[in-house]
Amino acid sequence: ELKERIKGALFIAKYLGAHLEVLRSETVSKKTISSEGFAPKHLIDKMNDLNQQIEVGTTNKYKNVFQQACEELNVKITENTLTDGNTTASLIIDQGLRSTLVAQYGKLCDMVIAACPPGNVPTATFQAAVLYSGKPVIMIPRVLEKFDPSKIIIFWNASTESSRAIDGAMPFLKKAKEVLIVTRQNTEDKKPTIFDIQQYLAIHDIDAKCEIVTPTKVRGEALLQKTTDGGYGLIVAGAYAQGKIKEKMFGGLTTYLLEHTKVPVLSAH
């Protein structure tokens, strides 16, 4: 799925005419395995050498797949981030904990693109992108065959997180042909309401419609069904609005979207 994930990110970059940086994280090369109280030094050295060989092999594979994906989508590979509207891409290889690197590099970009975690279970890397990069995050399915945000649906619950998600989605909202703001029946009176957001978007020349959705017993199910029925290509929603721990214990919209979405989700925390 590596090529599919890279191509999914390239689809978004091509839509925006942006430069895409793809991050490959390697484990630290020195002292991968400690020798203290574990095994003889010569055995530890062999294991560390083997680990390093595996890392090098994986990185070479990553480079090849990255190059293939760019060639297939006619994207130029360059370190120059000044695109002039032409989509370009580069591969960053760094050593360290992946979640830490994602949080660091995320602060140096306009937007983070992250694939849904394996098994659709939130990982430390995904949470680092959402919680610690300080930037909007587009969560894409692990296989994304196209990116068409001409129809956008906004999940609104009057939270700070959903407000930040709308702000991060402005480049897409301004180009969309159809925008729908939805909220659950038991949250329609929370202020600002969906009608307040409708007026706010109108200031930016975005003509949005509003709808109140009757919820089911499963949080997020009715909203996602509305997305499917309406053929929307991008969801805009706040992430971890009830807090990471509470979401993990009781379930929430972010977790449900990770498990079930078939279209990209632009989130912010």
Side-chain angles (χ1 to χ4, degrees), residues 232-259:
Y232 293 94
L234 178 65
I235 297 169
V236 177
Y240 297 117
Q242 31 173 17
K244 185 173 64 173
I245 296 177
K246 186 176 180 181
E247 171 123 6
K248 185 175 182 179
M249 292 176 64
F250 302 107
L253 180 61
T254 306
T255 300
Y256 186 83
L257 289 176
L258 276 174
E259 294 175 353

Side-chain angles (χ1 to χ4, degrees), residues 39 48 52 60 80 87 102 151 155 164 168 184 231 239 243 253 255:
N48 281 327
Q52 186 60 22
N60 288 336
N80 185 4
T87 304
V102 166
K151 297 180 66 175
F155 294 174
R164 287 173 177 161
R184 294 179 297 151
L253 180 61
T255 300

Side-chain angles (χ1 to χ4, degrees), residues 102-227:
V102 166
Q104 291 174 353
Y105 281 99
K107 295 179 176 68
L108 302 174
C109 66
D110 297 317
M111 185 177 295
V112 178
I113 302 173
C116 290
N120 300 320
V121 177
T123 61
T125 301
F126 174 78
Q127 291 175 346
V130 174
L131 300 176
Y132 305 122
S133 71
K135 301 298 172 68
V137 177
I138 294 189
M139 176 182 67
I140 62 173
R142 295 184 75 78
V143 177
L144 182 66
E145 296 180 351
K146 66 176 183 177
F147 179 64
D148 180 15
S150 58
K151 297 180 66 175
I152 299 176
I153 186 168
I154 300 172
F155 294 174
W156 178 253
N157 61 0
S159 67
T160 301
E161 290 80 4
S162 56
S163 177
R164 287 173 177 161
I166 290 176
D167 184 59
M170 278 296 178
F172 303 104
L173 291 169
K174 289 180 178 180
K175 296 173 66 175
K177 297 178 180 179
E178 180 180 330
V179 177
L180 177 65
I181 312 166
V182 296
T183 193
R184 294 179 297 151
Q185 199 169 48
N186 54 352
T187 62
E188 73 267 29
D189 294 330
K190 288 185 176 181
K191 293 184 179 296
T193 68
I194 55 176
F195 304 105
D196 295 325
I197 295 301
Q198 182 185 40
Q199 293 179 1
Y200 166 71
L201 292 178
I203 297 173
H204 296 276
D205 295 322
I206 299 169
D207 183 19
K209 297 179 180 179
C210 297
E211 187 170 331
I212 298 171
V213 176
T214 302
T216 66
K217 293 182 179 179
V218 180
R219 186 177 179 87
E221 184 179 52
L223 296 173
L224 197 55
Q225 187 61 51
K226 185 67 181 178
T227 302

